[in-house]
Amino acid sequence: VASGALGPGAEFDAIRGMLDRWGPRAKGIGDDAAILDVPRGDRLVVSVDTAVDRRHFRREWLSAREIGYRAVTAALSDLAAMAARPLGILTAITVPLGLRDVLSDLADGIGDAAGACGAPIVGGNLSGGDELSITTTVLGSCYAPIERRGARPGDRLYVTGRLGAPALAIARLTSGVEPGAVRNRFARPTSRIGEAIWLADAGASAAIDISDGLAADARHLASASGVSIVIDARDIPCFDGADAATAIASGEEYELLVALRGAVDADTFAARFGIPLTLIGSVEPRGSELVEIRGADMPPGAGYDHFSS
Amino acid sequence: VASGALGPGAEFDAIRGMLDRWGPRAKGIGDDAAILDVPRGDRLVVSVDTAVDRRHFRREWLSAREIGYRAVTAALSDLAAMAARPLGILTAITVPLGLRDVLSDLADGIGDAAGACGAPIVGGNLSGGDELSITTTVLGSCYAPIERRGARPGDRLYVTGRLGAPALAIARLTSGVEPGAVRNRFARPTSRIGEAIWLADAGASAAIDISDGLAADARHLASASGVSIVIDARDIPCFDGADAATAIASGEEYELLVALRGAVDADTFAARFGIPLTLIGSVEPRGSELVEIRGADMPPGAGYDHFSS
């Protein structure tokens, strides 16, 4: 932990304040670096993700606690995409002078996400700056991580959960409409850690988490695997109120898109995790398009804002 | 790697540009998370450090290449403080639209630091924002990491290298004077990885890297170990042109302050690493002051800017 420019005492006071809030969810903080043990035989899996004010979140849409929770959950979702079990979390926060009062709530949200995945906060950094941002490093481990590049022609393509709620929430918040039930799905997403481990055990050949939108992430998967992907829009599980076009373009879902070689028992999955596992397409030899979406009137390149516009 | 708000194509183009510059110094980038192997029997050591524009560096004092190099070296220094061997580096960069042209040079500096320590860049994040910042996560491993809390009364206190150059460089740059020879030491510090491993093998009981200044970091070490530290200012190895007061207060040194139980062969160390290893004090039972500096006319609380002012 530490270093930075919050000023004398203030930095350590703020860190102590966060540690108090985290209680047993923080572990071993206070040395130059954290020490962890990777289970014997496992490989280490690590990812980093940054959330910047007004780029990745809006303070008028989300509470500080939700912002902290989402920042960590987005990073954990990258571990889920590899079917890794979380070992520890590091949180590097840059906070402007005028926003220091959000640190407690931000810390609570970070603690919520750590508690939800069962991995401790093992380190971090607190720094002054002109712009609020949270950079989260997640460490996990796995005997055989699922990679993006493992999809092969003949694999079936599944998606977890129901898609579209974050896009609906953003559209409603943007136009000043009360978002209703989709707000919670947007503000409190879930990283599909347990689901990913189950899918790995069921023989998943490739996976990616849906952060940029189903169409965009299917392209990433197809590109990395050297295949094409065919999705039937009519099979996409949509959140209440979302149509297929919305579900296909909706980002920050943190659901998993998974290629599986054999058959999988979706009923057992649904009973275990309380969300559907839906067959939405197939993996084909590389064709002229990386991703073909059938049964919907939409451009095949449709994706999340950042990438499609 | 990835996610962010650089805009369509620009983000991936920028990432590809950095990967091209890094060549073999980057490894396994492109999945949701990086996969690494921790040597059997070793523990995982991990730290994160953020450098924010105008808080931790000034673009008028340092080139973008030096800024990138320093950001990674500062993080690696935390691994050195634990005597860990670097395994991999993740770099999360937030860059304003108007500064995108510095990314290539920043990447070169990050690559320089990776090349210098021999660990690959295994992942990262690139995001838009209003403020340039670099958050570096470093992963290392070690059979028995040295911790801050291990110092015991009777231990001898050593410091690597010569102190004071960064403080002199900052003072000269601030007053518009050509900094001369101290500039390189400030702009191109070295993380003492090999030195730390040597000191661990020689029986180091506790260590910390000097980032806040000798006096401040001695306090951190004393506090964590439940001891007091006595330093003789006349024994502190000073960089050419620096007096003891400057050397004691100078931060961002990235030298190591180490407690050792037995005798150590400083000549062998100096011959091996080309820098001195100097006995500057001793570890005592906890007294009224955490750190006592003898032989100098200076307040015992003197330390680096951030903390002493």
Side-chain angles (χ1 to χ4, degrees), chain A residues 15-100:
Chain A
I15 292 172
R16 268 190 293 271
M18 292 197 286
L19 290 174
D20 284 348
R21 300 187 93 86
W22 290 333
R25 291 171 300 180
K27 205 170 132 187
I29 288 179
D31 217 313
D32 292 286
I35 302 171
L36 287 92
D37 292 308
V38 176
R40 185 186 296 261
D42 269 15
R43 310 192 73 184
L44 172 65
V45 180
V46 57
S47 186
V48 63
D49 193 63
T50 301
V52 180
D53 193 11
R54 293 180 299 129
R55 305 270 171 165
H56 300 93
F57 59 84
R58 293 199 192 176
R59 277 180 287 116
E60 51 289 17
W61 290 357
L62 295 165
S63 71
R65 186 166 187 157
E66 288 165 344
I67 290 165
Y69 173 88
R70 284 179 100 249
V72 175
T73 299
L76 287 168
S77 184
D78 286 323
L79 289 189
M82 314 286 287
R85 205 176 292 275
L87 287 175
I89 296 161
L90 294 96
T91 179
I93 302 171
T94 299
V95 64
L97 189 59
L99 286 176
R100 281 196 206 168

Side-chain angles (χ1 to χ4, degrees), chain A:
Chain A
V1 177
S3 114
L6 278 197
E11 179 193 348
F12 293 120
D13 289 346
I15 292 172
R16 268 190 293 271
M18 292 197 286
L19 290 174
D20 284 348
R21 300 187 93 86
W22 290 333
R25 291 171 300 180
K27 205 170 132 187
I29 288 179
D31 217 313
D32 292 286
I35 302 171
L36 287 92
D37 292 308
V38 176
R40 185 186 296 261
D42 269 15
R43 310 192 73 184
L44 172 65
V45 180
V46 57
S47 186
V48 63
D49 193 63
T50 301
V52 180
D53 193 11
R54 293 180 299 129
R55 305 270 171 165
H56 300 93
F57 59 84
R58 293 199 192 176
R59 277 180 287 116
E60 51 289 17
W61 290 357
L62 295 165
S63 71
R65 186 166 187 157
E66 288 165 344
I67 290 165
Y69 173 88
R70 284 179 100 249
V72 175
T73 299
L76 287 168
S77 184
D78 286 323
L79 289 189
M82 314 286 287
R85 205 176 292 275
L87 287 175
I89 296 161
L90 294 96
T91 179
I93 302 171
T94 299
V95 64
L97 189 59
L99 286 176
R100 281 196 206 168
D101 59 348
V102 309
L103 274 180
S104 303
D105 288 338
L106 209 58
D108 283 345
I110 291 166
D112 291 345
C117 80
I121 298 155
V122 297
N125 192 88
L126 186 58
S127 171
D130 290 341
E131 187 171 56
L132 179 65
S133 73
I134 305 128
T135 295
T136 310
T137 302
V138 286
L139 304 160
S141 82
C142 189
Y143 178 71
I146 312 179
E147 298 180 68
R148 258 183 213 190
R149 63 179 180 193
R152 293 293 170 265
D155 288 356
R156 298 157 200 227
L157 194 74
Y158 286 86
V159 69
T160 63
R162 297 184 186 282
L163 307 180
L168 280 182
I170 290 170
R172 290 173 188 170
L173 288 162
T174 304
S175 39
V177 177
E178 176 53 49
V182 294
R183 188 188 182 286
N184 192 53
R185 179 84 192 91
F186 168 64
R188 286 267 168 184
T190 305
S191 58
R192 302 298 187 195
I193 301 281
E195 292 85 342
I197 294 167
W198 189 96
L199 288 161
D201 288 345
S205 57
I208 190 168
D209 69 315
I210 300 176
S211 49
D212 297 335
L214 175 61
D217 287 311
R219 278 199 299 278
H220 298 323
L221 190 73
S223 174
S225 293
V227 298
S228 282
I229 281 177
V230 176
I231 293 173
D232 193 313
R234 291 158 297 199
D235 293 331
I236 295 170
C238 297
F239 202 89
D240 275 356
D243 57 20
T246 302
I248 287 167
S250 178
E252 301 179 359
E253 292 279 346
Y254 308 120
E255 297 294 352
L256 299 174
L257 182 65
V258 181
L260 276 148
R261 213 136 286 169
V264 65
D265 184 352
D267 290 341
T268 301
F269 179 96
R272 169 88 172 268
F273 298 109
I275 53 169
L277 177 67
T278 311
L279 180 66
I280 60 166
S282 60
V283 178
E284 308 290 339
R286 171 65 60 87
S288 57
E289 293 277 356
L290 279 176
V291 174
E292 184 189 340
I293 295 177
R294 293 186 182 152
D297 285 335
M298 61 180 308
Y304 189 47
D305 279 343
H306 300 160
F307 299 90
S308 69
S309 59

